[in-house]
Amino acid sequence: MATERIEALLERTDPSFLKSCNTTEVQETGEGEIMAPYLIDCRRKQKHAFRQLCVVDDMIQLLAGLESVDQLLREPCPRNPGNEARSAWKALKAEYQEKVQEVEGLINTLQARTEELQAKRKTLETLLSTLQIKKEECKEKERITAKRNQRAEKQISFQLEDSLQAAQNALNVCDLQLSKLKDEVEKQHARISDWTILRDGLQTLVSVTHRNMQYRLLSVSSSELCLELLPRAAEKSLEPLRVSITMTTSDEFHLQVFQGTAGLVEEAVDGRLRHVSAALVEVMERYISQGEMLSEIQALHSRFAIDWCPAEKLLIFLKTATTVCHLRVEEGYPSHGRATLLSVRKDGNLLDIAHHQPPVQHPVLTEWLEFLSSNPDI
């Protein structure tokens, strides 16, 4: 519908239907070239003769109005004859020139609009040809898309058949694996029975150990025990040490020591299941060997805002929200090592700590923290 309207508009604006309005155009022929000079000369002669006739007519009228010759001599020279007619003629000529210019302006405007119309016509023709090309391209794309969809449908059909066959094969494999898993489950049930017997024996062993070796059982599962190692009476100031024992299917264990608030370095020990008791004793002895230092640190936790890093032997004291103190503990503290102040950072800036020392020699951690808490300059 839109294409038909465009074609009708183009037919209406065809240059063959447009008539030229330029009336001043004269067809150039051989006869015109001959007659033009002749007519121009005739026009010039007619104008000259007309002027002479006007002069003669004015003279006749002047002489007719005189009564004597003396009157001609006495009266002043009459005004220039023919001025009124000439003025009227000039006015008509000026009006004619004005109308000619107006008509020429209208002709120029019409020519400009004609050229604009022709340009629009060319644009419409270009758009129409582009529209036809696009229409053909769309039809071609539709044909290609239809063919492509047909091929895709065939390919999907083949893929569905292949997928169905693969699913059937996978189902057969799953049935085979299911039968194997059933056999494996039966074997695992038998092993679970063995592990249950082992677990009952371990629980009995733990109960005996709890009574004789000062252990506390926290939780128990099929493959993991969580215990707390309780220090002996001489080290009652130390907090219990929490450990976990994970047992594997190859009669091995994994012993994990948790730091918590005890202050001991987190570590892991692996070995054969029959050596688990020796591993527990070794961990407990290492914990008790640092009992004096760890008990002091555990007591400081309840008094000050501190953070203990056992691997670096570093104690971080948060005095205020903007003041942080770092202290290091030497190996063998407190009997063979000392506690020293490493740095004090206030509002992000390091302070000079050379003149900030407790009044006692070789202060321990408690004396250091009490001194730093009470010092107003820090």
Side-chain angles (χ1 to χ4, degrees):
M1 187 66 181
T3 306
E4 294 176 356
R5 293 179 62 184
I6 292 174
E7 290 177 351
L9 181 60
L10 291 176
E11 290 178 358
R12 290 174 59 188
T13 57
D14 195 323
S16 60
F17 293 99
L18 299 178
K19 295 183 179 179
S20 175
C21 296
N22 189 1
T23 59
T24 62
E25 182 179 359
V26 179
Q27 184 177 6
E28 294 183 359
T29 61
E31 183 181 356
E33 293 179 354
I34 297 172
M35 293 297 294
Y38 171 75
L39 294 175
I40 292 173
D41 184 61
C42 290
R43 177 61 177 166
R44 182 177 58 80
K45 291 178 181 180
Q46 287 175 359
K47 288 176 68 176
H48 184 67
F50 177 74
R51 289 177 183 176
Q52 289 179 348
L53 289 174
C54 287
V55 172
V56 171
D57 185 59
D58 290 339
M59 291 176 65
I60 292 172
Q61 290 180 4
L62 177 62
L63 293 175
L66 295 177
E67 296 178 355
S68 65
V69 177
D70 296 334
Q71 185 180 357
L72 178 63
L73 296 175
R74 289 193 306 268
E75 289 184 358
C77 183
R79 59 188 182 85
N80 189 11
N83 280 341
E84 294 180 359
R86 186 174 183 84
S87 299
W89 178 79
K90 286 185 177 181
L92 288 174
K93 186 177 180 180
E95 184 179 359
Y96 169 74
Q97 292 293 336
E98 183 180 355
K99 294 297 182 180
V100 168
Q101 291 179 358
E102 183 179 355
V103 171
E104 289 179 351
L106 292 174
I107 290 172
N108 293 332
T109 304
L110 182 59
Q111 287 179 347
R113 295 190 64 181
T114 302
E115 293 176 356
E116 182 181 357
L117 183 62
Q118 292 300 323
K120 290 183 177 180
R121 174 185 170 84
K122 292 181 180 179
T123 304
L124 286 174
E125 289 177 349
T126 305
L127 292 175
L128 183 60
S129 61
T130 305
L131 183 62
Q132 292 293 339
I133 294 172
K134 292 291 185 182
K135 187 176 180 180
E136 295 296 329
E137 290 179 354
C138 289
K139 290 181 179 179
E140 185 65 23
K141 287 182 179 179
E142 289 178 356
R143 288 195 295 269
I144 294 174
T145 304
K147 292 181 180 179
R148 195 174 292 170
N149 290 337
Q150 290 178 358
R151 290 197 298 267
E153 289 176 357
K154 291 180 180 179
Q155 186 175 3
I156 291 173
S157 177
F158 294 150
Q159 290 178 353
L160 287 175
E161 292 178 359
D162 295 339
S163 300
L164 184 61
Q165 185 62 37
Q168 187 64 37
N169 296 336
L171 183 61
N172 296 333
V173 173
C174 289
D175 292 338
L176 182 60
Q177 291 181 351
L178 182 61
S179 60
K180 292 181 179 179
L181 288 175
K182 287 181 179 179
D183 297 338
E184 187 68 24
V185 166
E186 293 178 357
K187 294 179 181 178
Q188 292 296 331
H189 278 305
R191 297 190 65 180
I192 287 173
S193 301
D194 298 337
W195 277 101
T196 304
I197 296 172
L198 178 60
R199 184 193 63 183
D200 295 339
L202 287 175
Q203 286 179 344
T204 303
L205 177 61
V206 168
S207 300
V208 174
T209 303
H210 175 62
R211 290 194 302 269
N212 299 328
M213 301 182 65
Q214 299 181 350
Y215 292 179
R216 179 184 300 161
L217 179 63
L218 298 179
S219 64
V220 61
S221 65
S222 60
S223 61
E224 184 180 11
L225 297 175
C226 290
L227 308 172
E228 276 189 352
L229 303 182
L230 305 176
R232 294 190 295 270
E235 292 83 13
K236 284 188 177 180
S237 58
L238 289 175
E239 295 183 1
L241 182 63
R242 185 181 175 186
V243 298
S244 69
I245 303 173
T246 304
M247 294 163 288
T248 64
T249 57
S250 56
D251 293 337
E252 294 182 352
F253 74 91
H254 175 78
L255 175 64
Q256 178 68 44
V257 180
F258 299 99
Q259 177 183 347
T261 59
L264 195 64
V265 179
E266 289 190 2
E267 60 176 342
V269 181
D270 297 309
R272 305 295 295 179
L273 189 59
R274 61 176 177 273
H275 299 148
V276 64
S277 299
L280 289 172
V281 172
E282 182 181 354
V283 170
M284 192 63 183
E285 289 178 352
R286 193 180 307 116
Y287 181 46
I288 294 174
S289 66
Q290 305 178 38
E292 189 174 354
M293 177 188 69
L294 295 178
S295 62
E296 181 182 8
I297 293 173
Q298 293 169 6
L300 292 175
H301 269 292
S302 61
R303 296 180 56 191
F304 303 99
I306 63 173
D307 190 10
W308 170 245
C309 303
E312 294 85 4
K313 301 286 185 181
L314 184 67
L315 187 139
I316 303 172
F317 170 45
L318 182 63
K319 181 180 178 181
T320 63
T322 58
T323 305
V324 181
C325 307
H326 292 77
L327 297 95
R328 184 177 296 281
V329 177
E330 296 178 354
E331 194 69 32
Y333 174 88
S335 58
H336 303 292
R338 300 179 182 179
T340 57
L341 179 64
L342 294 180
S343 64
V344 176
R345 188 178 293 274
K346 186 174 184 179
D347 296 328
N349 301 318
L350 290 174
L351 301 182
D352 185 10
I353 60 175
H355 304 290
H356 298 292
Q357 297 290 333
V360 297
Q361 288 187 348
H362 310 309
V364 296
L365 289 174
T366 303
E367 294 171 343
W368 267 114
L369 295 185
E370 291 175 349
F371 168 75
L372 293 173
S373 299
S374 61
N375 192 342
D377 296 334
I378 298 178

